[in-house]
């Protein structure tokens, strides 16, 4: 009988922001496995684990988790143990903190997963178990023996084009809506709050041909209104970006779908704007983070408030919708500096924005600061690293010297401005429900 693998995306489905983006990382794992193990059966889920364990009856379960959901991953591991099914864990959390591996899992996959997962499952298909001496020969694993043991770093995949397109058919992606793609892995910058750079270790790219071929496949299969690139920095290689534009135009793709992606303010210039207009880029997200130079320096952004201002100006004057993200609560940041960011937003022509309170993710310099402050540990309640800001902050890890209550008050000012801006945008474009989330606004604009 073919090997049956269940891949679980450990998320909190009560939080809408966690359900928006399909787990393409797991879909890449599935497509890579099927390339090398054609008869394998794979199922990807993000909930209802107990029922699926019973009905699908997998041979092995793999769980992917970010830090704030690691408690959910542990619950999945426990369910697998109770059902007598071996399970392993991967994703950014176990990669940044491999010492968090528990008896709930046979092993952890550290870093890029395709080759490592394939080698472990090939071993299982031969042995019908995971013998420790053989696991120790596979690089990219964390094992729990007499302690925590790493088997050594896995070399990164140098030719990303060797990975088949992610198996989206396992993700229940609806037709006619925004669809997501990766065109690269990693980011060339080192912002002090971001774990992605540390996870991927270096920047690598799918070729322009691969990207445009995947675009064509997605358009044919799902007829999306828009395609959003998941990349940390889609235009990190401008030569490749221009090649993608040329291929899109040659094949007429720019007439079939609208495009959006994330960018950095220091890379926005008149040449880039002209290129964006050639392929109908309608929406850009900028990680501006602050309107205060001191805070930007604390975050190691490598940009200035003036560059932020100019980027928004250039894009909006070109008729491109602009969303931005901002962070408050950086260690050392004062109330006056936070108000400087709020005033930056009010004076800007941003379409909309999101404001977050800084979260110290494992593996980042901010995590190291939090450790020195005694605010985090490797046995903490991982829900305290939630990105979302609720109406209280009693549990969230806060690095700011500003009191929790006052920080929440300040965050509400940002939310008030965000709502005002969305209402203004909705009225301008005749949207009946002005409190729609940005995703719905974008869908209306691209319909």
């Amino acid at each position: 009988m073919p090997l049956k693998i269940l891949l679980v995306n450990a998320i909190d489905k009560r939080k809408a922001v966690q359900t928006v983006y399909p787990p393409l990382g797991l879909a890449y794992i599935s497509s890579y496995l099927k390339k090398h193990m054609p008869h394998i059966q794979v199922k990807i889920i993000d909930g209802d684990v107990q029922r699926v364990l019973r009905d699908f009856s997998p041979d092995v379960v793999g769980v992917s988790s970010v830090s704030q959901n690691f408690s959910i991953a542990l619950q999945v591991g426990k369910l697998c143990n109770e059902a007598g099914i071996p399970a392993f864990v991967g994703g950014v959390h176990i990669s940044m903190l491999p010492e968090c591996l528990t008896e709930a899992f046979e092993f952890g996959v550290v870093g890029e997963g395709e080759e490592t997962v394939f080698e472990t499952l090939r071993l299982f298909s031969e042995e019908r178990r995971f013998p420790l001496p053989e696991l120790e020969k596979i690089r990219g694993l964390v094992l729990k023996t007499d302690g925590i043991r790493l088997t050594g770093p896995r070399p990164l995949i140098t030719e990303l084009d060797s990975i088949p397109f992610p198996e989206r058919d396992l993700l229940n992606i609806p037709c006619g809506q925004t669809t997501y793609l990766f065109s690269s892995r990693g980011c060339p910058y080192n912002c002090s709050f971001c774990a992605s750079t540390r996870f991927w270790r270096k920047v690598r790219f799918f070729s322009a041909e691969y990207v445009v071929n995947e675009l064509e496949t997605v358009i044919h299969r799902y007829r999306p209104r828009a395609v959003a690139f998941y990349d940390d920095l889609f235009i990190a290689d401008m030569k490749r970006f221009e090649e993608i534009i040329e291929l899109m135009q040659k094949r007429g793709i720019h007439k079939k779908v609208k495009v959006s992606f994330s960018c950095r303010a220091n890379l926005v210039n008149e040449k880039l704007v002209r290129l964006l207009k050639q392929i109908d880029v309608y929406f850009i997200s900028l990680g501006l983070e602050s309107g205060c130079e001191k805070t930007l320096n604390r975050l190691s952004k490598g940009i200035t408030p003036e560059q932020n201002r100019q980027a928004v100006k250039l894009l909006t004057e070109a008729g491109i919708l602009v969303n931005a993200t901002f962070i408050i609560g950086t260690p050392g940041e004062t109330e006056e500096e936070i108000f400087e960011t709020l005033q930056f937003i009010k004076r800007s022509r941003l379409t909309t924005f999101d404001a977050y309170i800084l979260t110290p993710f494992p593996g980042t310099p901010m995590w190291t600061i939090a450790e020195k402050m005694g605010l985090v540990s490797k046995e903490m309640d991982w829900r305290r690293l939630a990105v979302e800001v609720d109406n209280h902050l009693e549990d969230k890890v806060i690095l700011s010297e500003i009191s929790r209550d006052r920080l929440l008050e300040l965050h509400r000012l940002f939310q008030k401005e965000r709502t005002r801006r969305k209402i203004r945008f909705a009225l301008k474009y005749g949207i009946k429900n002005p409190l729609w989330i940005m995703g719905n606004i974008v869908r209306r604009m691209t319909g």
Side-chain angles (χ1 to χ4, degrees):
M1 292 182 63
L3 201 62
K4 297 169 69 175
I5 309 300
L6 176 64
L7 299 177
V8 181
N9 182 33
I11 63 171
D12 187 343
K13 298 187 72 173
R14 298 169 300 178
K15 297 181 177 180
V17 69
Q18 295 191 31
T19 64
V20 173
Y21 305 106
L24 288 181
L26 294 180
Y28 277 115
I29 297 288
S30 177
S31 64
Y32 191 85
L33 288 174
K34 290 183 178 178
K35 174 183 177 180
H36 296 280
M37 304 173 74
H39 301 296
I40 197 171
Q41 291 185 28
V42 181
K43 190 176 186 66
I44 299 176
I45 63 171
D46 57 15
D48 205 8
V49 176
Q50 201 159 18
R51 181 190 64 79
V52 177
L53 287 178
R54 181 185 66 246
D55 295 348
F56 183 57
S57 188
D59 297 294
V60 180
V61 175
V63 186
S64 178
S65 174
V66 297
S67 291
Q68 75 180 69
N69 293 331
F70 194 64
S71 299
I72 297 174
L74 292 174
Q75 293 172 8
V76 174
K78 182 180 179 182
L79 288 174
C80 293
N81 284 346
E82 292 172 352
I85 301 171
F88 63 90
V89 64
V92 66
H93 181 77
I94 200 67
S95 297
M96 296 297 100
L97 290 177
E99 53 269 47
C100 288
L101 185 70
T102 73
E103 299 297 339
F105 301 106
E106 299 276 336
F107 55 86
V109 175
V110 176
E112 189 170 60
E114 284 87 359
E115 291 182 340
T116 307
V117 172
F118 162 61
E119 289 186 17
T120 59
L121 293 183
R122 181 176 59 185
L123 171 64
F124 185 88
S125 69
E126 296 168 354
E127 303 285 343
R128 306 309 292 186
R129 62 190 184 94
F130 292 110
L132 183 60
E134 297 305 314
L135 286 177
E136 290 175 338
K137 299 176 184 177
I138 298 175
R139 300 177 74 177
L141 297 180
V142 54
L143 306 173
K144 195 171 184 65
T145 53
D146 294 331
I148 295 295
R149 180 183 173 186
L150 294 167
T151 61
R154 159 79 54 177
L156 296 173
I157 298 173
T158 55
E159 296 293 332
L160 289 185
D161 285 13
S162 66
I163 305 172
F165 299 154
E167 194 172 8
R168 289 180 173 83
D169 287 349
L170 298 181
L171 304 180
N172 298 316
I173 294 175
C175 290
Q177 297 185 18
T178 299
T179 300
Y180 301 88
L181 277 82
F182 278 115
S183 84
S184 62
R185 292 182 175 182
C187 179
Y189 294 90
N190 285 287
C191 301
S192 62
F193 57 89
C194 180
S196 179
T197 299
R198 284 83 189 176
F199 177 82
W200 291 115
R201 292 158 43 195
K202 64 178 291 187
V203 189
R204 290 159 297 144
F205 302 93
F206 293 97
S207 70
E209 185 81 20
Y210 180 104
V211 173
V212 176
N213 286 344
E214 184 177 357
L215 262 175
E216 282 191 315
T217 301
V218 164
I219 290 169
H220 175 74
R221 175 67 178 82
Y222 300 102
R223 304 186 302 280
R225 296 179 180 178
V227 170
F229 284 91
Y230 248 173
D231 306 47
D232 290 312
L233 187 57
F234 181 48
I235 64 167
D237 183 336
M238 280 299 296
K239 182 176 182 296
R240 186 195 69 137
F241 181 56
E242 292 181 31
E243 290 173 359
I244 290 172
I245 290 175
E246 183 179 347
L247 285 172
M248 288 180 66
Q249 291 179 319
K250 183 181 294 185
R251 302 184 192 182
I253 293 175
H254 64 300
K255 298 178 181 179
K256 299 177 182 178
V257 70
K258 295 180 181 293
V259 176
S260 71
F261 57 85
S262 297
C263 190
R264 279 179 59 94
N266 60 303
L267 301 180
V268 177
N269 52 38
E270 291 182 355
K271 177 185 177 182
L272 175 66
V273 171
R274 287 196 299 272
L275 291 171
L276 300 182
K277 298 300 289 183
Q278 290 180 28
I279 56 170
D280 202 10
V281 173
Y282 72 100
F283 181 63
I284 292 289
S285 183
L286 297 171
L288 302 185
E289 317 313 355
S290 180
C292 171
E293 188 155 7
K294 289 182 180 178
T295 300
L296 289 170
N297 290 337
R298 294 183 187 109
L299 295 172
S300 303
K301 278 297 295 185
I303 55 177
T304 67
E306 181 56 30
Q307 287 174 312
N308 284 346
R309 193 174 295 110
Q310 277 297 113
V312 176
K313 180 175 182 291
L314 282 171
L315 291 168
T316 54
E317 286 180 349
I320 297 172
L321 305 180
V322 183
N323 177 66
T325 56
F326 294 92
I327 295 172
I328 66 173
T330 300
E333 186 179 44
T334 65
E335 281 195 33
E336 290 74 18
E337 291 166 345
I338 291 175
F339 275 110
E340 201 173 330
T341 294
L342 185 58
Q343 288 305 311
F344 173 93
I345 293 171
K346 289 183 175 182
R347 296 190 190 106
S348 76
R349 294 172 59 185
L350 286 167
T351 308
T352 188
F353 69 92
D354 296 290
Y356 301 96
I357 294 174
L358 186 139
T359 302
F361 294 119
T364 68
M366 288 298 170
W367 173 265
T368 302
I369 292 173
E371 276 189 314
K372 291 178 179 177
M373 295 171 66
L375 298 176
V376 296
S377 71
K378 300 176 178 63
E379 296 180 352
M380 63 182 287
D381 180 353
W382 300 109
R383 293 173 296 182
R384 297 179 60 216
L385 297 181
V387 176
E388 305 86 2
V389 179
D390 298 322
N391 292 324
H392 58 83
L393 297 175
E394 287 88 348
D395 298 328
K396 183 175 174 62
V397 176
I398 301 293
L399 274 62
S400 175
E401 292 83 355
I402 300 170
S403 72
R404 288 174 180 268
D405 288 344
R406 180 57 178 158
L407 197 59
L408 184 56
E409 288 177 7
L410 293 170
H411 185 265
R412 285 175 182 150
L413 295 177
F414 283 83
Q415 293 301 93
K416 183 177 179 181
E417 171 63 19
R418 182 173 182 264
T419 299
R420 185 189 71 80
R421 195 167 292 260
K422 289 166 75 172
I423 291 173
R424 185 178 67 185
F425 179 86
L427 293 174
K428 179 179 179 180
Y429 290 97
I431 297 172
K432 294 181 180 179
N433 182 355
L435 295 181
W436 276 0
I437 62 172
M438 188 61 198
N440 284 334
I441 292 176
V442 168
R443 280 192 286 274
R444 173 67 178 269
M445 289 292 295
T446 58

